[in-house]
Amino acid sequence: MDKNKTILVVGAGGFIAGHLIKRILENGNKVVACDIKPKEFWFQDFDNVENHYSMDMKDISNCMKVTNKVNYVFNMACNMGGMGFIENNKAECMQSVLINTNLLIASKENKIEKYFFSSSACAYNISKQDKVFIEGLKEEDAYPADPEDGYGWEKLFSERMCRHFFEDYGIQVRIARYHNIYGPYGTYDGGREKAPAALCRKVIEAKKKNAGTIDVWGDGNQTRTFLYVDECVEGTLRLFDSNCSDPMNIGSDEQVSINQMIEIIENISGISNLKKNHQLDKPKGVRGRSSNNDFAKKVLNWSYKMSLKEGLTKTFKWIENEMTREGSNISRFTKS
Ligand code: GDC
């Protein structure tokens, strides 16, 4: 990444964006950061950044203001969460389309050089994910369109909007489809947390209370691939530097069932044989999901390196520390 470029990160108070800003600052770039959340709810907050707290990017005048003085835009902003959130807040999720639309229009007006959009594996056709073990999803498997209801439709539509801004106006776009990114400085409680953080928290709570049982959504046989956040940032920056304007998977191919992931977390925690209370009425999402990473390997000459066990160990330690830390502000991680 050219050090002389000034970079706008939208959704800067969020999980992935916080890690991204850290890397961009290490590279020596100037950063402008904004988020709808007030200061106290940002996961990471860096001093040497022009921060805009409580700034709603659904409002085009805000988009115009912050794109005015930057070269590159990273749109990491959306109203989102794990299955517990996106299955019950479809209208909320779909309104994120305003962020991407207004930011693209403002980027065009202010002649932004390159625009990144953070899409999701939820953009994939759900009928291709109805078995426990599936072949990794290739980029073309998003069509014919039948994505996750609400959240996935917004992501697929916004991807397409990027494509047309590229085709019609020549804006350089880069689009990543993230596959369940996890790690420290992310939500682990309050309703928006995804499975890795939620299950770390539940195991930590069970250990603390000597409970012996944890609640698990679904039968636990559903599968996913998970990617550690540092790997995600690396893949994102490589994609950004590439010439690829098509959507690209940024994920791992270490496909595990939720039950297998719990076993890994139990090992990390030092306890074993927790009983699982499988809650079949809770949000489950697709039955099986896995990322095919051939396109990223070919175009970026890149693949993830960190095993799920290693990534979960780091995540577990961070969550455990947050849960036991004096003065830990749990609400920081739960605010919408
Ligand atoms: O929430 P999530 O990580 O989202 O859930 C994965 C699986 O883990 C689901 O089948 C869920 O039922 C199961 N699960 C079991 N127990 C729990 O306590 C729990 N909490 C949670 N959250 N899940 C539990 C996600 C989207 C994201 C993002 C990624 C991209 O879908 O929610 O917004 O876009 O996909 O890959 P998941 O993987 O279905």
Side-chain angles (χ1 to χ4, degrees):
M1 176 107 68
D2 181 347
K3 283 190 175 91
N4 298 313
K5 304 291 184 187
T6 301
I7 297 170
L8 170 67
V9 181
V10 178
F15 164 51
I16 302 174
H19 291 271
L20 178 70
I21 291 172
K22 184 166 181 283
R23 268 292 295 276
I24 295 173
L25 289 173
E26 282 163 8
N27 192 53
N29 294 89
K30 276 196 197 143
V31 176
V32 178
C34 46
D35 199 299
I36 194 168
K37 292 178 197 160
K39 181 178 169 64
E40 63 272 27
F41 295 111
W42 288 35
F43 284 115
Q44 299 190 70
D45 189 0
F46 301 92
D47 290 336
N48 42 346
V49 166
E50 181 187 317
N51 287 318
H52 297 265
Y53 307 107
S54 307
M55 182 181 257
D56 187 355
M57 303 303 278
K58 294 197 288 308
D59 179 342
I60 194 160
S61 63
N62 287 333
C63 294
M64 288 301 292
K65 195 158 79 187
V66 287
T67 51
N68 193 20
K69 47 190 167 185
V70 301
N71 304 102
Y72 297 156
V73 173
F74 280 84
N75 177 12
M76 312 299 288
C78 64
N79 199 346
M80 63 89 70
M83 277 321 297
F85 181 79
I86 65 174
E87 204 162 293
N88 294 307
N89 295 276
K90 294 183 184 127
E92 284 280 330
C93 289
M94 291 208 78
Q95 288 169 54
S96 298
V97 79
L98 294 171
I99 305 172
N100 197 55
T101 307
N102 288 330
L103 207 46
L104 275 169
I105 294 169
S107 296
K108 172 179 167 268
E109 293 300 311
N110 283 322
K111 301 192 172 31
I112 289 303
E113 293 162 42
K114 225 190 268 186
Y115 183 97
F116 176 87
F117 176 60
S118 53
S119 186
S120 163
C122 289
Y124 282 107
N125 184 311
I126 49 173
S127 69
K128 299 182 184 182
Q129 305 169 74
D130 58 0
K131 292 182 193 64
V132 166
F133 278 98
I134 63 157
E135 290 297 316
L137 292 159
K138 294 194 179 124
E139 281 74 3
E140 59 265 32
D141 288 327
Y143 293 96
D146 189 13
E148 192 101 36
D149 202 3
Y151 180 75
W153 275 104
E154 189 279 320
K155 289 294 187 190
L156 195 64
F157 178 88
S158 289
E159 283 186 3
R160 240 180 141 86
M161 178 106 67
C162 290
R163 170 174 148 187
H164 294 306
F165 269 67
F166 170 60
E167 289 171 351
D168 294 358
Y169 307 129
I171 295 189
Q172 286 295 321
V173 294
R174 303 288 179 266
I175 304 160
R177 289 192 187 134
Y178 290 148
H179 285 253
N180 212 317
I181 314 302
Y182 70 98
Y185 298 99
T187 309
Y188 60 85
D189 205 352
R192 287 177 185 258
E193 64 280 10
K194 290 187 271 174
L199 294 165
C200 283
R201 169 181 49 82
K202 287 177 182 182
V203 170
I204 293 163
E205 281 168 353
K207 193 177 163 185
K208 260 176 144 178
K209 293 179 192 152
N210 233 336
T213 305
I214 58 166
D215 290 337
V216 180
W217 299 355
D219 63 9
N221 294 320
Q222 64 270 46
T223 59
R224 295 292 185 274
T225 54
F226 302 95
L227 185 71
Y228 190 70
V229 65
D230 289 353
E231 307 269 22
C232 166
V233 168
E234 179 67 30
T236 298
L237 291 174
R238 283 179 184 241
L239 171 58
F240 195 75
D241 277 344
S242 78
N243 289 321
C244 178
S245 55
D246 294 324
M248 182 185 283
N249 284 334
I250 297 291
S252 91
D253 52 16
E254 194 183 342
Q255 190 175 9
V256 290
S257 71
I258 296 302
N259 286 334
Q260 285 169 328
M261 184 164 70
I262 295 168
E263 221 177 287
I264 297 173
I265 298 171
E266 280 185 279
N267 276 333
I268 294 166
S269 77
I271 53 172
S272 55
N273 297 325
L274 279 172
K275 273 177 65 183
K276 281 125 206 139
N277 175 32
H278 289 291
Q279 300 174 301
L280 302 183
D281 57 340
K282 293 286 184 184
K284 294 180 285 292
V286 293
R287 188 71 175 141
R289 176 177 288 156
S290 170
S291 173
N292 177 302
N293 305 309
D294 292 348
F295 190 44
K297 279 181 201 151
K298 189 171 144 210
V299 176
L300 311 181
N301 191 23
W302 170 81
S303 181
Y304 76 101
K305 290 185 191 65
M306 195 181 290
S307 69
L308 183 60
K309 179 162 186 199
E310 200 182 335
L312 281 173
T313 304
K314 290 170 189 282
T315 309
F316 183 94
K317 278 189 185 146
W318 180 81
I319 295 174
E320 190 169 46
N321 191 42
E322 282 301 307
M323 288 172 71
T324 48
R325 185 162 64 87
E326 184 114 349
S328 161
N329 181 3
I330 298 258
S331 64
R332 181 153 64 101
F333 305 110
T334 60
K335 168 88 175 161
S336 63

